[in-house]
Amino acid sequence: MASLYSTMVVVCSKREEFCLEQASMMQSLPRTAAAVAVYALVALIAAGAVAAGGGEQPLSRIAIHRAIVEPQPGAFVDASPALLGLEGKDREWVTVTYSNPKPSKDDWIGVFSPANFNDSICPSENQWVEAPLLCTAPIKFQFANYTSRNYEHTGKGSLRLQLINQREDFSFALFSGGLLNPKLIAHSKSVTFINPKAPVYPRLAQGKSWNEMTVTWTSGYSTNEATPFVRWGAQGQIQILSPAGTLTFSRNTMCGSPARTVGWRDPGFIHTSFLRDLWPNFMYTYQIGHRLFNGAIVWGHQYSFKAPPYPGEDSLQRVVIFGDMGKAEVDGSNEFNDFEPGSLNTTNQLIKDLKNIDMVFHIGDITYANGYLSQWDQFTAQVEPIASTVPYMVGSGNHERDWPGSGSFYGNLDSGGECGVPAQNMFYVPAENREQFWYSMDYGMFRFCIANTELDWRPGTEQYKFIKHCLSSVDRQKQPWLIFLAHRVLGYSSATFYADEGTTEEPMGRESLQSLWQKYKVDIAMYGHVHGYERTCPVYENVCVAKGSDHYTGAFTATTHVVVGGGGASLADYTAARARWSHARDRDFGFAKLTAFNHTTLLFEYKKSRDGSVHDRFTVSRDYRDVLACGVDNCPSTTLAS
């Protein structure tokens, strides 16, 4: 038992005193009970449930490693239709009917993919956990009485569940014993899409140059089976073909459980094509495809996008920014304790307003898959209407990257063993090194500097040098609006989980970077991680250099810091006392929108996810001579000597 306790101490991070307390208590448990408890706690921590700001993965509540097969005479599960995608759709509704002669309120339906989920034994990742009977967690689940309120009395029920095409067939299983002691009592025949390997869920991203767009998508085709490509061109003009590169990753590239064990699911193949030499502001159409070696072509759907403006171009440019959205299910499944309740609202509001959006930045905590790899497909399907139409740029957050001993700046278990691999492959970013995941991007009158808070940013590091270069190299006559983006709060926040640690930021956050923000006159610094909204006054060294306002004019005074982490995950709490630098805050789901009307006028809006209404806003009016003007600590000393 001593070694068991030692293992628990190793996996606990410095913030998780709760974990250490539980490990100590386990010393008094019998070995079998302690083993189960340890596995459950490790899974809980890996899912991020005890991490600051929430982020629990609902699938982690299922103790699938303890499941047993115990067929119940008379129990059954049926699903129809059995063949999906006959009309070319990538998502379909399935009706599941089921019966249990001995029903209970704890009975639940699990959706598994591949369908033969109980055909083999999974290897044990940890010495204290026996190999589970079931190899994989379900991709979604729902309680049997969710829509059938009399299920406990009749033993009969039905559900309508939405499936997306994700390369394998599906089956539906009826479990008794609740989520902690699941007993498989019946399962259905398989359900499949007509072409499960089809190319799906394209996501656009701007390339390393302003006139380059990348298209990334997922399929079941390896390069040994088919050649991936994009057919594209200016709307109404001759279409051309561009090849795509293909990547994938394996279970062995995951860093730990559950990503290496019950959460693993084959990611298929991720393809990226580079559409170069775009004409500014032209509309382009594109279609992803795979040429099979027999000459046949498997096509995806046709989409369109607008090419970026020329850097410095004086035109209307609109960018949406938020963090911490995650995914949710339109059929209500996977929703444990209202996890990520605002995700669909945020997604739907952006879809409704898509004609007024030119680009989206999702600054970390993308899916909250937390080691359950099936959820990356679910997320790319959820955002497809957005990401297939405008560049969907992402940043790295704790739930993508953090894992002990993996090189992350924080040694917690928030990524569920993913340690950045799915994020780096599923989405393209124009980084010099996608492992580092920091990058700069020019869009019209904007310069964006996107940091990676899960890697060291302090002075002397490689990332600090990148940040300094990104901020210092912008031509403010062409790109007057300089925006700094990061996941964790490197500026200011009055979230209670920071206050409990006696701070208002990540340790060594603004202390390391505020001199750069001030010197290079960063207009707005934006963060996620805290699930809500907060805006500061223009602040430097903890002091308001100017009063918080709805309109700023004239020379730059200091950076305005904004937390916009209310994309969808469970909301954080704020301190009762308001700091002097905290100008506006909102404990709700929402997103920010920046609108550059021209070189002298910028509009910031914070919108509610529930209805798209503007809850907070401010404008900045500034001429170029104001950009050149000196402020606090951002101009060198001068002399009158001739």
Side-chain angles (χ1 to χ4, degrees):
M1 188 57 65
S3 61
L4 186 65
Y5 175 75
S6 300
T7 304
M8 285 301 305
V9 173
V10 169
V11 301
C12 290
S13 74
K14 63 181 180 180
R15 288 186 175 183
E16 291 159 353
E17 291 84 359
F18 162 81
C19 172
L20 296 178
E21 292 170 4
Q22 297 299 307
S24 180
M25 291 168 57
M26 288 174 195
Q27 294 184 92
S28 61
L29 294 174
R31 182 169 180 82
T32 302
V36 171
V38 167
Y39 186 95
L41 184 58
V42 169
L44 192 67
I45 299 168
V50 294
E56 179 181 3
Q57 171 51 247
L59 295 176
S60 69
R61 287 290 184 170
I62 302 174
I64 202 70
H65 61 289
R66 300 176 61 184
I68 61 173
V69 177
E70 198 170 276
Q72 175 68 47
F76 70 84
V77 184
D78 287 329
S80 64
L83 187 60
L84 310 175
L86 294 175
E87 298 178 359
K89 296 180 181 179
D90 299 326
R91 43 177 72 80
E92 294 270 17
W93 287 87
V94 174
T95 299
V96 184
T97 57
Y98 42 90
S99 178
N100 181 6
K102 298 180 180 180
S104 165
K105 66 178 181 179
D106 294 328
D107 292 356
W108 57 279
I109 296 289
V111 184
F112 289 84
S113 180
N116 60 342
F117 60 94
N118 64 335
D119 280 1
S120 58
I121 301 299
C122 283
S124 176
E125 177 71 12
N126 304 300
Q127 62 180 0
W128 60 85
V129 180
E130 296 179 1
L133 176 65
L134 300 187
C135 258
T136 180
I139 63 171
K140 62 167 65 178
F141 72 96
Q142 186 54 273
F143 287 97
N145 62 2
Y146 180 64
T147 55
S148 303
R149 301 303 181 187
N150 294 323
Y151 172 80
E152 294 176 54
H153 304 290
T154 66
K156 300 181 183 298
S158 67
L159 288 169
R160 273 179 55 79
L161 298 173
Q162 189 184 71
L163 300 182
I164 67 164
N165 193 353
Q166 52 188 137
R167 302 172 304 284
E168 296 283 357
D169 54 2
F170 305 85
S171 61
F172 302 81
L174 176 60
F175 288 86
S176 64
L179 302 181
L180 294 180
N181 295 285
K183 298 178 182 179
L184 175 60
I185 62 175
H187 65 86
S188 74
K189 295 180 180 179
S190 66
V191 169
T192 187
F193 278 83
I194 191 169
N195 182 10
K197 292 186 175 184
V200 289
Y201 320 129
R203 42 256 184 212
L204 300 173
Q206 188 165 308
K208 291 184 179 180
S209 63
W210 70 269
N211 60 348
E212 178 181 68
M213 192 72 73
T214 68
V215 185
T216 299
W217 72 94
T218 308
S219 85
Y221 292 113
S222 72
T223 53
N224 293 326
E225 298 175 273
T227 301
F229 66 94
V230 177
R231 182 173 67 182
W232 66 286
Q235 206 166 58
Q237 303 295 316
I238 297 175
Q239 306 288 288
I240 62 175
L241 304 182
S242 289
T246 299
L247 297 172
T248 189
F249 52 93
S250 68
R251 186 194 300 263
N252 289 337
T253 59
M254 301 293 99
C255 290
S257 177
R260 288 173 66 100
T261 55
V262 296
W264 170 256
R265 188 180 189 274
D266 191 296
F269 300 94
I270 300 111
H271 316 278
T272 299
S273 183
F274 297 82
L275 316 184
R276 297 185 169 95
D277 298 325
L278 304 177
W279 289 53
N281 305 306
F282 268 48
M283 291 298 302
Y284 287 83
T285 60
Y286 72 97
Q287 190 171 15
I288 54 180
H290 292 259
R291 184 184 298 275
L292 305 179
F293 291 127
N294 64 5
I297 296 178
V298 179
W299 291 106
H301 301 296
Q302 184 168 309
Y303 303 89
S304 63
F305 67 86
K306 182 181 178 182
Y310 187 80
E313 178 185 303
D314 200 337
S315 61
L316 184 67
Q317 296 153 17
R318 303 150 301 184
V319 181
V320 165
I321 303 169
F322 58 86
D324 308 76
M325 185 168 77
K327 58 158 286 291
E329 299 286 349
V330 295
D331 56 23
S333 60
N334 281 22
E335 292 306 302
F336 183 88
N337 197 27
D338 293 327
F339 177 74
E340 297 166 6
S343 175
L344 290 178
N345 281 347
T346 299
T347 302
N348 292 336
Q349 284 301 327
L350 298 186
I351 294 172
K352 288 179 182 177
D353 196 39
L354 203 51
K355 64 181 183 297
N356 298 311
I357 298 171
D358 298 309
M359 178 177 291
V360 170
F361 278 99
H362 188 159
I363 50 176
D365 285 7
I366 301 169
T367 67
Y368 290 92
N370 296 359
Y372 292 86
L373 275 297
S374 63
Q375 304 306 288
W376 283 94
D377 289 314
Q378 302 283 337
F379 179 82
T380 55
Q382 177 177 308
V383 301
E384 179 203 24
I386 306 166
S388 62
T389 306
V390 300
Y392 197 96
M393 313 304 299
V394 299
S396 181
N398 50 303
H399 285 281
E400 282 77 56
R401 181 62 181 87
D402 293 0
W403 192 258
S406 70
S408 58
F409 196 43
Y410 298 83
N412 59 50
L413 302 162
D414 289 356
S415 77
E418 293 181 8
C419 55
V421 175
Q424 292 162 208
N425 285 276
M426 297 295 287
F427 285 88
Y428 176 86
V429 295
E432 291 301 320
N433 182 340
R434 289 169 71 178
E435 177 72 29
Q436 295 171 330
F437 227 87
W438 60 65
Y439 59 98
S440 64
M441 206 180 75
D442 294 333
Y443 187 85
M445 294 174 284
F446 289 103
R447 160 67 63 89
F448 295 98
C449 300
I450 299 91
N452 181 358
T453 55
E454 310 318 302
L455 300 180
D456 198 346
W457 62 79
R458 293 172 296 177
T461 63
E462 191 174 354
Q463 181 165 200
Y464 182 88
K465 295 174 184 176
F466 154 76
I467 295 171
K468 182 176 181 180
H469 180 264
C470 184
L471 299 179
S472 64
S473 60
V474 61
D475 182 345
R476 299 299 285 270
Q477 186 177 16
K478 294 180 179 178
Q479 292 163 301
W481 310 119
L482 182 54
I483 312 297
F484 178 84
L485 303 176
H487 176 65
R488 291 176 184 262
V489 180
L490 302 181
Y492 298 82
S493 170
S494 54
T496 53
F497 67 79
Y498 281 130
D500 290 344
E501 296 179 348
T503 185
T504 56
E505 51 153 345
E506 292 296 322
M508 301 166 288
R510 63 175 179 265
E511 290 81 2
S512 298
L513 299 174
Q514 64 182 346
S515 62
L516 294 181
W517 298 326
Q518 191 69 7
K519 179 178 181 180
Y520 298 112
K521 304 174 185 177
V522 173
D523 293 293
I524 305 173
M526 303 179 71
Y527 318 98
H529 199 55
V530 176
H531 300 172
Y533 172 76
E534 187 167 22
R535 169 165 70 101
T536 72
C537 60
V539 59
Y540 177 52
E541 293 187 339
N542 215 36
V543 175
C544 289
V545 180
K547 290 183 178 180
S549 174
D550 295 336
H551 181 66
Y552 301 102
T553 186
F556 172 88
T557 55
T559 301
T560 296
H561 295 260
V562 180
V563 174
V564 60
S570 51
L571 295 169
D573 293 321
Y574 293 101
T575 58
R578 290 281 287 270
R580 283 175 292 181
W581 43 256
S582 181
H583 178 69
R585 65 187 188 186
D586 184 41
R587 189 180 183 274
D588 201 355
F589 302 107
F591 54 92
K593 184 177 182 181
L594 295 176
T595 302
F597 292 102
N598 48 49
H599 283 72
T600 61
T601 305
L602 176 70
L603 170 65
F604 172 95
E605 297 172 295
Y606 162 65
K607 295 189 172 187
K608 296 274 196 177
S609 292
R610 69 166 70 100
D611 56 12
S613 62
V614 177
H615 184 72
D616 186 33
R617 69 194 301 274
F618 67 89
T619 57
V620 180
S621 297
R622 183 183 303 137
D623 292 326
Y624 182 57
R625 64 178 181 273
D626 297 322
V627 177
L628 298 177
C630 293
V632 180
D633 287 355
N634 59 22
C635 272
S637 57
T638 59
T639 177
L640 295 177
S642 59

